[in-house]
Coordinates of all heavy atoms in Angstrom, one line a residue:
M9 N 0.8 -1.2 0.0 CA 0.0 0.0 0.0 C 0.9 1.2 0.0 O 1.8 1.3 0.8 CB -0.9 0.0 1.3 CG -1.9 1.0 1.3 SD -3.0 1.0 2.7 CE -3.8 -0.5 2.5
S10 N 0.6 2.2 -0.8 CA 1.4 3.4 -0.9 C 1.1 4.3 0.4 O 0.1 4.2 1.0 CB 1.1 4.2 -2.1 OG -0.2 4.9 -2.0
R11 N 2.1 5.2 0.6 CA 1.9 6.1 1.8 C 0.7 6.9 1.7 O 0.0 7.1 2.7 CB 3.2 7.0 1.8 CG 3.2 7.9 3.0 CD 4.4 8.7 3.1 NE 4.2 9.7 4.1 CZ 4.9 9.8 5.2 NH1 5.8 8.9 5.5 NH2 4.7 10.7 6.1
R12 N 0.3 7.3 0.5 CA -0.9 8.2 0.3 C -2.1 7.4 0.8 O -3.0 8.0 1.3 CB -1.0 8.7 -1.1 CG -2.2 9.5 -1.3 CD -2.2 10.2 -2.7 NE -2.8 11.5 -2.5 CZ -2.2 12.6 -2.6 NH1 -0.9 12.7 -3.0 NH2 -2.8 13.7 -2.4
Q13 N -2.2 6.1 0.5 CA -3.4 5.4 0.9 C -3.5 5.2 2.4 O -4.5 4.9 2.9 CB -3.4 4.0 0.2 CG -3.6 4.1 -1.3 CD -3.3 2.8 -2.0 OE1 -2.5 2.0 -1.6 NE2 -4.2 2.5 -3.0
Q14 N -2.4 5.4 3.1 CA -2.4 5.2 4.5 C -2.8 6.4 5.3 O -2.8 6.4 6.5 CB -1.0 4.7 5.0 CG -0.6 3.4 4.4 CD 0.8 3.0 4.8 OE1 1.5 3.7 5.5 NE2 1.2 1.8 4.3
M15 N -3.0 7.5 4.6 CA -3.4 8.8 5.3 C -4.9 9.0 5.3 O -5.4 9.6 4.4 CB -2.7 9.9 4.6 CG -1.2 10.0 4.8 SD -0.6 11.6 4.7 CE 0.1 11.7 3.1
P16 N -5.5 8.5 6.3 CA -7.0 8.8 6.4 C -7.2 10.3 6.7 O -6.5 10.9 7.5 CB -7.5 8.0 7.6 CG -6.3 7.6 8.3 CD -5.1 7.7 7.4
I17 N -8.2 10.9 6.0 CA -8.6 12.3 6.3 C -10.0 12.3 6.8 O -10.9 11.8 6.2 CB -8.5 13.1 5.0 CG1 -7.1 13.0 4.4 CG2 -9.0 14.5 5.2 CD1 -6.9 13.7 3.0
I18 N -10.2 12.8 8.0 CA -11.5 12.9 8.7 C -12.0 14.3 8.6 O -11.3 15.2 9.0 CB -11.4 12.4 10.1 CG1 -10.6 11.1 10.3 CG2 -12.7 12.4 10.8 CD1 -11.2 9.9 9.5
E19 N -13.2 14.5 8.1 CA -13.8 15.8 8.1 C -14.9 15.9 9.1 O -15.8 15.1 9.0 CB -14.3 16.1 6.6 CG -14.7 17.5 6.4 CD -15.0 17.8 4.9 OE1 -14.8 16.9 4.1 OE2 -15.5 18.9 4.7
M20 N -14.8 16.9 9.9 CA -15.8 17.1 11.0 C -16.5 18.5 10.7 O -15.8 19.5 10.5 CB -15.2 17.1 12.4 CG -14.5 15.8 12.7 SD -13.6 15.9 14.3 CE -15.0 16.0 15.4
H21 N -17.8 18.5 10.9 CA -18.6 19.8 10.8 C -19.3 19.9 12.1 O -19.9 19.0 12.6 CB -19.6 19.7 9.6 CG -19.0 19.7 8.3 ND1 -18.8 20.8 7.5 CD2 -18.4 18.6 7.6 CE1 -18.2 20.5 6.4 NE2 -18.0 19.2 6.4
M22 N -19.2 21.1 12.7 CA -19.9 21.4 13.9 C -20.3 22.9 14.0 O -19.8 23.7 13.2 CB -19.0 21.0 15.1 CG -17.7 21.8 15.2 SD -16.6 21.3 16.6 CE -16.1 19.7 16.1
M23 N -21.2 23.1 15.0 CA -21.6 24.5 15.2 C -20.5 25.3 15.8 O -19.6 24.7 16.5 CB -22.8 24.5 16.2 CG -24.0 23.8 15.6 SD -24.8 24.6 14.2 CE -25.2 26.2 15.0
Q24 N -20.4 26.6 15.5 CA -19.5 27.4 16.2 C -19.7 27.5 17.7 O -20.8 27.2 18.2 CB -19.6 28.9 15.7 CG -19.0 29.1 14.3 CD -19.2 30.6 13.9 OE1 -20.1 31.3 14.4 NE2 -18.3 31.1 13.1
G25 N -18.6 27.8 18.4 CA -18.8 28.0 19.8 C -18.0 27.0 20.7 O -17.8 27.3 21.9
R26 N -17.4 26.0 20.1 CA -16.6 25.1 20.9 C -15.2 25.7 21.2 O -14.7 26.5 20.3 CB -16.4 23.8 20.3 CG -17.8 23.1 20.0 CD -17.9 21.8 20.6 NE -19.1 21.1 20.6 CZ -20.1 21.0 19.7 NH1 -20.0 21.8 18.6 NH2 -21.1 20.3 19.8
T27 N -14.6 25.5 22.3 CA -13.3 26.1 22.6 C -12.2 25.3 21.8 O -12.4 24.2 21.4 CB -13.0 26.0 24.1 OG1 -12.9 24.6 24.5 CG2 -14.1 26.6 24.9
G28 N -11.1 25.9 21.8 CA -9.9 25.3 21.2 C -9.6 24.0 21.9 O -9.2 23.0 21.3
E29 N -9.7 24.0 23.2 CA -9.4 22.8 24.0 C -10.4 21.7 23.7 O -10.0 20.5 23.6 CB -9.5 23.1 25.5 CG -9.3 22.0 26.4 CD -7.9 21.3 26.4 OE1 -7.0 22.0 25.9 OE2 -7.8 20.2 26.7
Q30 N -11.7 22.0 23.5 CA -12.6 21.0 23.1 C -12.3 20.4 21.8 O -12.4 19.2 21.6 CB -14.1 21.5 23.1 CG -14.6 21.8 24.5 CD -15.9 22.6 24.4 OE1 -16.1 23.5 23.7 NE2 -16.9 22.1 25.2
K31 N -11.9 21.2 20.8 CA -11.6 20.7 19.5 C -10.3 19.9 19.5 O -10.2 18.9 18.9 CB -11.4 21.9 18.5 CG -12.7 22.6 18.2 CD -12.6 23.7 17.2 CE -12.5 25.0 17.9 NZ -12.6 26.1 17.0
R32 N -9.3 20.3 20.4 CA -8.1 19.5 20.5 C -8.4 18.1 21.1 O -7.9 17.1 20.7 CB -7.1 20.2 21.4 CG -6.3 21.3 20.7 CD -5.2 21.9 21.5 NE -5.7 22.7 22.6 CZ -6.1 23.9 22.5 NH1 -6.1 24.6 21.4 NH2 -6.5 24.6 23.6
K33 N -9.4 18.1 22.1 CA -9.7 16.8 22.7 C -10.4 15.9 21.7 O -10.1 14.7 21.7 CB -10.7 17.1 23.9 CG -10.0 17.5 25.2 CD -11.0 17.7 26.3 CE -10.3 18.2 27.5 NZ -11.3 18.3 28.6
V34 N -11.4 16.4 21.0 CA -12.1 15.5 20.0 C -11.1 15.1 18.9 O -11.2 13.9 18.5 CB -13.3 16.2 19.4 CG1 -13.0 17.3 18.4 CG2 -14.3 15.2 18.8
A35 N -10.2 16.0 18.5 CA -9.2 15.6 17.5 C -8.3 14.5 18.0 O -8.0 13.5 17.3 CB -8.4 16.8 17.0
A36 N -7.9 14.5 19.2 CA -7.1 13.5 19.8 C -7.8 12.2 19.9 O -7.3 11.1 19.6 CB -6.5 13.9 21.2
A37 N -9.1 12.2 20.4 CA -9.9 11.0 20.5 C -10.1 10.4 19.2 O -10.0 9.1 19.0 CB -11.2 11.4 21.2
V38 N -10.5 11.2 18.2 CA -10.7 10.6 16.8 C -9.5 10.1 16.2 O -9.5 9.0 15.6 CB -11.4 11.7 15.9 CG1 -11.4 11.2 14.5 CG2 -12.8 12.1 16.4
T39 N -8.4 10.8 16.4 CA -7.1 10.3 15.9 C -6.8 8.9 16.5 O -6.4 8.0 15.8 CB -5.9 11.3 16.2 OG1 -6.2 12.5 15.5 CG2 -4.6 10.7 15.8
E40 N -6.9 8.8 17.8 CA -6.7 7.5 18.5 C -7.6 6.4 17.9 O -7.1 5.3 17.6 CB -6.9 7.7 20.0 CG -6.6 6.4 20.7 CD -6.9 6.6 22.2 OE1 -6.7 7.7 22.8 OE2 -7.2 5.5 22.9
A41 N -8.8 6.7 17.8 CA -9.8 5.7 17.3 C -9.5 5.3 15.9 O -9.5 4.1 15.5 CB -11.2 6.2 17.4
V42 N -9.2 6.2 15.0 CA -8.9 5.9 13.6 C -7.6 5.1 13.5 O -7.6 4.1 12.8 CB -8.9 7.2 12.8 CG1 -8.3 6.9 11.4 CG2 -10.3 7.8 12.7
A43 N -6.6 5.6 14.2 CA -5.3 4.8 14.1 C -5.5 3.4 14.6 O -4.9 2.5 14.0 CB -4.3 5.6 15.0
R44 N -6.2 3.2 15.7 CA -6.4 1.9 16.2 C -7.3 1.0 15.2 O -6.9 -0.1 14.9 CB -7.1 1.9 17.6 CG -7.2 0.6 18.3 CD -7.9 0.7 19.7 NE -9.1 1.4 19.7 CZ -9.3 2.7 20.2 NH1 -8.3 3.3 20.8 NH2 -10.5 3.2 20.2
S45 N -8.3 1.6 14.7 CA -9.2 0.8 13.9 C -8.6 0.5 12.5 O -8.8 -0.6 12.0 CB -10.5 1.7 13.6 OG -11.2 1.9 14.8
L46 N -7.9 1.4 12.0 CA -7.3 1.2 10.6 C -5.8 0.7 10.7 O -5.2 0.5 9.7 CB -7.3 2.5 9.8 CG -8.7 3.1 9.5 CD1 -8.5 4.4 8.7 CD2 -9.5 2.1 8.8
E47 N -5.3 0.5 11.9 CA -4.0 0.0 12.2 C -3.0 0.9 11.4 O -2.2 0.4 10.6 CB -3.9 -1.4 11.8 CG -4.8 -2.3 12.6 CD -4.8 -3.8 12.2 OE1 -4.0 -4.2 11.3 OE2 -5.5 -4.5 12.8
C48 N -3.1 2.2 11.6 CA -2.1 3.1 11.0 C -1.5 4.0 12.0 O -2.0 4.1 13.2 CB -2.8 4.0 9.9 SG -4.1 5.1 10.5
S49 N -0.5 4.7 11.7 CA 0.2 5.6 12.6 C -0.7 6.8 12.9 O -1.2 7.4 11.9 CB 1.5 6.0 12.0 OG 2.1 7.0 12.8
P50 N -0.8 7.3 14.1 CA -1.5 8.5 14.4 C -0.9 9.7 13.6 O -1.7 10.6 13.2 CB -1.3 8.7 15.9 CG -1.0 7.4 16.4 CD -0.3 6.7 15.3
E51 N 0.3 9.7 13.2 CA 0.9 10.8 12.5 C 0.4 10.8 11.1 O 0.6 11.9 10.4 CB 2.5 10.6 12.4 CG 3.1 10.9 13.7 CD 3.0 9.8 14.8 OE1 2.8 8.6 14.4 OE2 3.1 10.1 16.0
T52 N -0.3 9.8 10.6 CA -0.8 9.8 9.2 C -2.3 10.3 9.2 O -2.8 10.6 8.1 CB -0.8 8.4 8.6 OG1 -1.7 7.5 9.3 CG2 0.6 7.9 8.5
V53 N -2.9 10.4 10.4 CA -4.3 10.8 10.4 C -4.5 12.3 10.3 O -3.8 13.1 11.0 CB -5.0 10.3 11.8 CG1 -6.4 10.8 11.9 CG2 -4.9 8.8 11.9
R54 N -5.3 12.8 9.4 CA -5.6 14.2 9.2 C -7.0 14.5 9.6 O -7.9 13.7 9.2 CB -5.4 14.6 7.7 CG -4.1 14.2 7.1 CD -2.9 15.0 7.8 NE -1.7 14.7 7.1 CZ -0.7 14.0 7.5 NH1 -0.8 13.3 8.6 NH2 0.4 13.9 6.9
I55 N -7.2 15.5 10.3 CA -8.6 15.9 10.7 C -8.8 17.4 10.3 O -8.0 18.3 10.7 CB -8.8 15.7 12.2 CG1 -8.6 14.3 12.6 CG2 -10.2 16.3 12.7 CD1 -8.7 14.0 14.1
L56 N -9.9 17.6 9.6 CA -10.3 18.9 9.2 C -11.6 19.3 10.0 O -12.6 18.5 9.9 CB -10.6 19.0 7.7 CG -9.4 18.5 6.8 CD1 -9.9 18.3 5.4 CD2 -8.3 19.4 6.9
I57 N -11.6 20.4 10.7 CA -12.8 20.8 11.4 C -13.3 22.1 10.7 O -12.6 23.1 10.5 CB -12.5 21.1 12.9 CG1 -12.1 19.8 13.6 CG2 -13.8 21.7 13.5 CD1 -11.7 20.0 15.0
T58 N -14.6 22.0 10.3 CA -15.3 23.2 9.7 C -16.4 23.6 10.7 O -17.2 22.8 11.0 CB -15.9 22.8 8.3 OG1 -14.8 22.3 7.5 CG2 -16.5 24.0 7.7
E59 N -16.4 24.8 11.0 CA -17.4 25.3 11.9 C -18.5 26.1 11.1 O -18.2 26.8 10.2 CB -16.8 26.3 13.0 CG -15.9 25.5 13.9 CD -15.4 26.4 15.0 OE1 -14.5 27.2 14.7 OE2 -15.9 26.3 16.2
H60 N -19.7 26.0 11.6 CA -20.8 26.7 10.9 C -21.6 27.5 11.9 O -21.8 27.2 13.1 CB -21.8 25.6 10.3 CG -21.1 24.7 9.4 ND1 -20.9 25.1 8.0 CD2 -20.6 23.5 9.5 CE1 -20.3 24.1 7.4 NE2 -20.1 23.1 8.3
R61 N -22.1 28.7 11.4 CA -23.0 29.5 12.2 C -24.4 28.9 12.3 O -24.7 28.0 11.4 CB -23.1 30.9 11.6 CG -21.8 31.7 11.6 CD -22.0 33.1 11.1 NE -22.8 33.1 10.0 CZ -22.4 33.6 8.8 NH1 -21.3 34.0 8.6 NH2 -23.3 33.6 7.8
G62 N -25.2 29.3 13.2 CA -26.5 28.7 13.3 C -27.4 28.9 12.1 O -28.3 28.1 11.9
E63 N -27.1 29.9 11.3 CA -27.9 30.1 10.1 C -27.5 29.2 8.9 O -28.1 29.2 7.9 CB -27.8 31.6 9.6 CG -28.2 32.6 10.7 CD -27.0 32.9 11.6 OE1 -25.9 33.0 11.2 OE2 -27.3 33.1 12.8
E64 N -26.4 28.5 9.1 CA -25.8 27.7 8.0 C -26.0 26.2 8.2 O -25.6 25.4 7.4 CB -24.3 28.0 7.9 CG -24.0 29.5 7.5 CD -22.5 29.8 7.7 OE1 -21.8 29.1 8.5 OE2 -22.1 30.7 7.0
F65 N -26.6 25.8 9.4 CA -26.6 24.4 9.8 C -28.1 24.1 9.9 O -28.8 24.7 10.7 CB -25.9 24.3 11.1 CG -25.5 22.9 11.4 CD1 -24.2 22.4 11.4 CD2 -26.5 21.9 11.8 CE1 -23.8 21.2 11.7 CE2 -26.1 20.6 12.2 CZ -24.8 20.3 12.1
F66 N -28.6 23.1 9.1 CA -30.0 22.8 9.1 C -30.2 21.4 9.6 O -29.5 20.5 9.3 CB -30.5 22.9 7.7 CG -30.6 24.3 7.2 CD1 -29.5 24.9 6.7 CD2 -31.8 25.0 7.1 CE1 -29.5 26.2 6.2 CE2 -31.9 26.3 6.6 CZ -30.7 26.9 6.2
V67 N -31.3 21.2 10.3 CA -31.8 19.9 10.7 C -33.3 19.8 10.3 O -34.1 20.7 10.8 CB -31.6 19.6 12.2 CG1 -32.2 18.2 12.6 CG2 -30.1 19.6 12.5
A68 N -33.7 18.9 9.5 CA -35.1 18.8 9.1 C -35.6 20.1 8.4 O -36.8 20.5 8.6 CB -36.0 18.4 10.2
G69 N -34.7 20.8 7.7 CA -35.1 22.0 7.0 C -35.2 23.2 7.9 O -35.6 24.3 7.4
I70 N -34.8 23.1 9.1 CA -34.9 24.3 10.1 C -33.4 24.6 10.5 O -32.7 23.7 10.9 CB -35.8 23.9 11.3 CG1 -37.2 23.6 10.8 CG2 -35.8 25.1 12.3 CD1 -38.0 23.0 11.9
T71 N -33.1 25.9 10.5 CA -31.7 26.2 11.0 C -31.6 25.9 12.4 O -32.6 25.9 13.2 CB -31.4 27.7 10.7 OG1 -32.2 28.5 11.6 CG2 -31.6 28.1 9.2
M72 N -30.4 25.7 12.9 CA -30.1 25.5 14.3 C -30.5 26.8 15.1 O -30.9 26.7 16.2 CB -28.6 25.1 14.5 CG -28.3 23.8 13.9 SD -29.3 22.4 14.6 CE -28.6 22.3 16.3
A73 N -30.3 27.9 14.5 CA -30.7 29.2 15.2 C -32.2 29.2 15.4 O -32.6 29.5 16.6 CB -30.3 30.4 14.3
E74 N -33.0 28.8 14.5 CA -34.4 28.7 14.6 C -34.8 27.6 15.7 O -35.7 27.9 16.5 CB -35.1 28.4 13.3 CG -35.1 29.5 12.3 CD -35.6 29.0 10.9 OE1 -35.3 27.9 10.5 OE2 -36.2 29.9 10.3
R75 N -34.1 26.5 15.6 CA -34.4 25.4 16.6 C -34.1 25.9 18.0 O -34.8 25.6 19.0 CB -33.6 24.2 16.3 CG -34.0 23.5 15.0 CD -33.1 22.4 14.6 NE -33.0 21.3 15.6 CZ -33.8 20.2 15.6 NH1 -34.7 20.1 14.6 NH2 -33.7 19.3 16.5
A76 N -33.0 26.7 18.2 CA -32.6 27.2 19.5 C -33.7 28.2 20.0 O -34.0 28.2 21.2 CB -31.3 27.8 19.4
E77 N -34.2 29.0 19.1 CA -35.3 29.9 19.5 C -36.6 29.2 19.9 O -37.2 29.6 20.8 CB -35.6 30.9 18.3 CG -34.5 31.9 18.0 CD -34.8 32.7 16.8 OE1 -36.0 32.5 16.2 OE2 -34.0 33.4 16.4
R78 N -36.9 28.1 19.3 CA -38.1 27.3 19.5 C -38.0 26.5 20.8 O -39.0 26.3 21.4 CB -38.4 26.4 18.4 CG -38.8 27.2 17.1 CD -39.1 26.2 16.0 NE -39.4 26.9 14.8 CZ -39.8 26.3 13.6 NH1 -39.9 25.0 13.6 NH2 -40.0 27.1 12.6
Q79 N -36.9 26.1 21.2 CA -36.7 25.2 22.3 C -37.3 25.8 23.6 O -38.0 25.2 24.3 CB -35.3 24.7 22.5 CG -34.9 23.6 21.5 CD -33.5 23.1 21.7 OE1 -32.7 23.8 22.2 NE2 -33.3 21.9 21.3
P80 N -36.9 27.0 24.0 CA -37.4 27.6 25.2 C -38.9 27.7 25.2 O -39.6 27.5 26.2 CB -36.8 29.0 25.3 CG -35.5 28.9 24.5 CD -35.9 27.9 23.4
R81 N -39.5 28.1 24.0 CA -40.9 28.2 23.9 C -41.6 26.8 24.1 O -42.6 26.7 24.7 CB -41.3 28.8 22.5 CG -41.1 30.3 22.5 CD -41.6 30.9 21.2 NE -40.5 31.0 20.3 CZ -40.5 31.1 19.0 NH1 -41.6 31.0 18.4 NH2 -39.4 31.2 18.3
A82 N -41.0 25.8 23.5 CA -41.6 24.5 23.6 C -41.5 24.0 25.0 O -42.5 23.4 25.5 CB -40.9 23.5 22.7
A83 N -40.5 24.3 25.7 CA -40.3 23.9 27.1 C -41.4 24.6 28.0 O -42.0 24.0 28.9 CB -38.9 24.2 27.6
L84 N -41.6 25.8 27.7 CA -42.6 26.6 28.5 C -44.0 26.0 28.2 O -44.8 25.9 29.1 CB -42.6 28.1 28.1 CG -41.4 28.9 28.6 CD1 -41.5 30.3 28.1 CD2 -41.5 28.9 30.1
Q85 N -44.3 25.6 27.0 CA -45.6 25.1 26.6 C -45.9 23.7 27.3 O -47.0 23.4 27.8 CB -45.8 24.9 25.1 CG -45.9 26.3 24.4 CD -46.0 26.1 22.9 OE1 -45.7 25.1 22.4 NE2 -46.3 27.2 22.2
E86 N -44.8 22.9 27.5 CA -44.9 21.7 28.1 C -45.2 21.8 29.6 O -45.9 21.0 30.2 CB -43.6 20.8 28.0 CG -43.4 20.3 26.6 CD -42.1 19.6 26.4 OE1 -41.4 19.4 27.4 OE2 -41.8 19.3 25.3
Q87 N -44.8 22.9 30.2 CA -45.0 23.2 31.7 C -46.4 23.7 32.0 O -46.8 23.6 33.1 CB -44.0 24.2 32.2 CG -42.5 23.6 32.1 CD -41.5 24.7 32.6 OE1 -41.9 25.8 32.8 NE2 -40.3 24.3 32.6
K88 N -47.1 24.2 31.0 CA -48.5 24.7 31.2 C -49.4 23.6 31.5 O -49.4 22.5 30.9 CB -49.0 25.5 30.0 CG -48.2 26.8 29.8 CD -48.8 27.6 28.6 CE -48.0 28.8 28.4 NZ -48.5 29.6 27.3
P89 N -50.3 23.8 32.5 CA -51.3 22.7 32.8 C -52.3 22.5 31.7 O -52.6 23.2 30.9 CB -52.0 23.2 34.1 CG -51.6 24.6 34.3 CD -50.5 24.9 33.3

């Protein structure tokens, strides 16, 4: 197998707001898991993190910003008798 084939590239997408320390922790954990699973050197694992604003990230056609706005309202409605 050529060296190029041994370099897994992991792409992660997440919402903005995580700290540098959190991103370092997840990168270390993913690196360890990939290296162990693929039996490759951790030095060959590449991780790309792309952060998105709430207006750029959709779940079921609704932005995360809209979902965040709706959650407090939904929780209040559930508490009403």
